[in-house]
Amino acid sequence: MSDTSWLSKFPQLERGDLIAIRKTLDGAYREFSRNYGDTIESLFDPLLTFLIWFEKLLIASPWWLTIGVILAIVYGASRSWKLCTGVLASLLAIGVLGMWDDTMRTLSIITVCTLLSIGIGIPTGILMSRSNKVQAIVTPILDVMQTMPAFVYLIPVVMLLGIGKIPGVIAVIIYAVPPVIRLTNLGIRLVNKETLEAATAFGATAKQRLFGIQLPLAMPTIMAGINQTIMMALAMVVVASMIGVKGLGQPVLKSITNQYFTLGLFNGLAIVALAIIFDRVSQTYAKRTQKHLGGMNND
């Protein structure tokens, strides 16, 4: 008896039926994109305008000023001169090797995608932490977002919005936002219930408990989620370059198609440098936050 004989007990669609279903769905989506694509695209015009302005600002600003601002942010987050020295060396190497403009383009889109992911992810994680029903609904969606190959969800985005920065931002956010949602939910749920009960006993409202206790105590876990989101966003740089997003990904893609080993290596190392900078800064900030909270708890 064949191992697949049990399948015969279920009704099966004929090949022609499957083709008909696919054609119907494809036609419906094409019709939707024709009728509503321009309207949906216009909703993203403010974001596109900001992206273009921010990219031009980073590229047009003097390199020393840009590096100075980045170092100030790094030191403010980490309080580490060693990390600042490493960041300075990395940025100077990127400039000397002629990758400054592409790095600024990548930095602009990654910064915007990270901020949008945080803006979407933390409120969603808060909702999940407050309701098991919301968690049960959102979790499978996050599973699909994390396991679906990026090239698959690029197809409907490109069909609807064409190629350019906005489809790239949407693709990056879909791929990168799940960690911050999951870890925000987890961090809030792990807050000591006795601490919350004590706050309630002192008359704290739900809003006061959230912003005064839960979010501060969950911040190290949330920062770990933000860190993962940044890493996943950077991992999408090369994929996003396939739909017209300029930056370090395009030279890497060009090196693949034309077998330019050195070009791909240098731009790949620049992406790695950005990833390490973001990783070290966010991790150091999370550790500082954790130590601060630990000191408060000891008091």
Side-chain angles (χ1 to χ4, degrees):
M1 183 177 180
S2 171
D3 292 337
T4 59
S5 60
W6 62 274
L7 289 172
S8 61
K9 298 179 181 179
F10 297 93
Q12 296 183 11
L13 292 172
E14 297 293 335
R15 181 176 176 82
D17 296 332
L18 291 172
I19 293 174
I21 291 172
R22 287 201 296 267
K23 286 184 176 180
T24 301
L25 293 175
D26 290 343
Y29 190 78
R30 279 195 294 268
E31 188 68 22
F32 175 82
S33 63
R34 290 194 194 101
N35 293 334
Y36 302 102
D38 291 339
T39 302
I40 295 173
E41 189 174 0
S42 65
L43 298 176
F44 292 99
D45 284 344
L47 177 59
L48 179 60
T49 302
F50 176 78
L51 270 170
I52 294 172
W53 170 81
F54 188 39
E55 180 182 303
K56 289 182 177 179
L57 175 66
L58 289 178
I59 294 174
S61 298
W63 63 269
W64 51 267
L65 178 60
T66 303
I67 290 178
V69 172
I70 293 174
L71 291 178
I73 294 172
V74 170
Y75 182 77
S78 66
R79 297 292 194 275
S80 171
W81 287 111
K82 289 183 179 180
L83 183 56
C84 289
T85 302
V87 171
L88 176 61
S90 299
L91 294 176
L92 289 176
I94 286 171
V96 169
L97 293 173
M99 298 179 292
W100 183 259
D101 287 355
D102 283 337
T103 301
M104 292 301 101
R105 293 187 180 99
T106 297
L107 183 62
S108 67
I109 194 165
I110 294 302
T111 301
V112 171
C113 289
T114 300
L115 293 176
L116 289 174
S117 295
I118 293 170
I120 296 169
I122 291 180
T124 305
I126 292 172
L127 289 175
M128 289 176 66
S129 69
R130 288 173 168 264
S131 170
N132 290 331
K133 184 178 291 186
V134 173
Q135 180 177 250
I137 294 171
V138 175
T139 299
I141 298 173
L142 297 179
D143 293 339
V144 172
M145 291 167 67
Q146 286 189 292
T147 56
M148 180 77 74
F151 295 101
V152 176
Y153 55 72
L154 280 177
I155 296 170
V157 172
V158 172
M159 287 179 63
L160 186 64
L161 301 174
I163 61 174
K165 294 181 184 295
I166 295 302
V169 168
I170 293 173
V172 171
I173 290 175
I174 291 174
Y175 185 74
V177 76
V180 71
I181 296 177
R182 290 185 189 275
L183 290 176
T184 298
N185 173 41
L186 178 63
I188 293 175
R189 286 179 179 269
L190 289 178
V191 172
N192 195 318
K193 292 183 180 179
E194 293 179 359
T195 305
L196 294 176
E197 290 172 359
T200 304
F202 281 102
T205 64
K207 185 177 180 180
Q208 289 172 333
R209 290 197 303 272
L210 175 64
F211 289 100
I213 298 173
Q214 290 176 301
L215 285 179
L217 291 177
M219 189 53 65
T221 306
I222 294 173
M223 285 303 302
I226 293 173
N227 176 274
Q228 290 186 29
T229 289
I230 295 170
M231 297 302 103
M232 295 179 74
L234 282 166
M236 278 290 291
V237 167
V238 178
V239 176
S241 69
M242 296 181 179
I243 55 174
V245 177
K246 294 181 179 179
L248 294 169
Q250 285 196 334
V252 173
L253 183 63
K254 182 180 179 181
S255 69
I256 294 172
T257 56
N258 295 281
Q259 299 182 352
Y260 296 152
F261 171 74
T262 307
L263 178 67
L265 178 63
F266 284 169
N267 282 271
L269 289 175
I271 295 173
V272 172
L274 284 181
I276 292 174
I277 290 170
F278 277 114
D279 177 69
R280 295 296 181 269
V281 171
S282 59
Q283 281 194 9
T284 307
Y285 179 75
K287 288 177 181 177
R288 285 183 56 240
T289 304
Q290 198 165 17
K291 287 179 180 178
H292 174 68
L293 292 172
M296 290 177 61
N297 291 336
N298 291 334
D299 293 340

